[in-house]
Amino acid sequence: MMLKEKCSMTDKEWEERQKTRQLEMEAVSKALAVLSGDDAHDLFTRTFNPALMQTEVAIASKKREQASNLLSRAAKRLNSPRLSALAYRVRLDAFTRVKKAIDDMIAQLLKEKADEIKHKDFCTDEFNKNQLQTEKKEREKKDLIAKIEDLEMTIKSLADAIAKLKDEIAEMQV
């Protein structure tokens, strides 16, 4: 019974982590879209114009702030320290490092997902094996109980036969 409860809890936890991971991946994808969009690309190409350097930095900072706010909101909503750290890094780091961090985070999430699927499959297999073994042992138990009852009846009939024979012997000796 403990295995069923453990597997049930593992399934529920797995479902919850899957949902959280999916929401994290959506938030990261949105942030990546902000960073990879045409506006951001245009902004990046314009930042190399020395005449507009200060304006471009302010605009780049605004885009970085938008991406950071998006990640921060998602981190608060999902209660995810990894997204919070990523949001903080968006504010401080250059976009290339942030994109690498996002890619690394996605790779880590995919690895965790694969590990959890593997664990869930293991749990399911073990549960099925346990159930088969339990059924087999129940059948063996029933067979043994039937055999015990049969042997008890044989013992009783033999005891009756012995008693009858003893009575006959006693009668013959008299």
Side-chain angles (χ1 to χ4, degrees):
M1 192 63 172
M2 280 182 43
L3 183 61
K4 281 186 179 180
E5 292 170 0
K6 184 177 179 182
C7 286
S8 175
M9 286 176 34
T10 302
D11 287 344
K12 288 177 186 174
E13 291 171 357
W14 184 78
E15 295 283 334
E16 186 177 311
R17 284 192 302 266
Q18 289 295 99
K19 288 178 186 174
T20 301
R21 187 163 293 108
Q22 186 64 33
L23 292 172
E24 284 178 346
M25 289 177 75
E26 287 175 15
V28 168
S29 296
K30 287 179 184 176
L32 193 57
V34 168
L35 296 174
S36 302
D38 290 336
D39 293 338
H41 182 66
D42 291 343
L43 178 67
F44 294 146
T45 57
R46 288 187 307 208
T47 57
F48 294 113
N49 186 349
L52 301 174
M53 185 62 89
Q54 188 61 39
T55 306
E56 295 301 318
V57 169
I59 293 172
S61 178
K62 184 177 179 184
K63 288 288 184 185
R64 187 176 293 160
E65 187 68 27
Q66 285 176 340
S68 175
N69 288 339
L70 177 71
L71 288 171
S72 293
R73 285 192 307 271
K76 286 178 185 173
R77 183 171 39 112
L78 300 173
N79 197 18
S80 173
R82 291 186 291 190
L83 281 179
S84 294
L86 187 59
Y88 181 72
R89 286 180 63 186
V90 166
R91 286 190 184 143
L92 300 179
D93 292 347
F95 281 119
T96 55
R97 292 197 333 226
V98 172
K99 286 182 181 179
K100 183 183 181 323
I102 289 171
D103 290 341
D104 292 345
M105 186 176 190
I106 289 172
Q108 181 183 3
L109 289 171
L110 291 173
K111 183 183 179 300
E112 286 177 11
K113 179 181 178 181
D115 290 345
E116 287 179 3
I117 289 171
K118 183 179 175 184
H119 179 71
K120 184 179 186 293
D121 290 343
F122 170 77
C123 188
T124 303
D125 289 344
E126 288 299 312
F127 177 73
N128 290 337
K129 286 178 188 176
N130 187 2
Q131 193 170 11
L132 289 173
Q133 288 174 350
T134 302
E135 291 171 2
K136 183 179 176 184
K137 294 298 180 183
E138 286 294 325
R139 282 193 302 271
E140 286 179 21
K141 180 181 172 184
K142 287 178 183 177
D143 291 345
L144 289 173
I145 288 172
K147 188 173 182 177
I148 288 171
E149 290 173 355
D150 184 46
L151 290 173
E152 285 175 348
M153 288 176 57
T154 303
I155 290 171
K156 184 179 179 197
S157 66
L158 290 174
D160 290 345
I162 290 173
K164 185 178 178 185
L165 290 172
K166 280 184 182 180
D167 287 342
E168 288 177 10
I169 290 174
E171 274 184 31
M172 289 182 168
Q173 288 179 352
V174 175

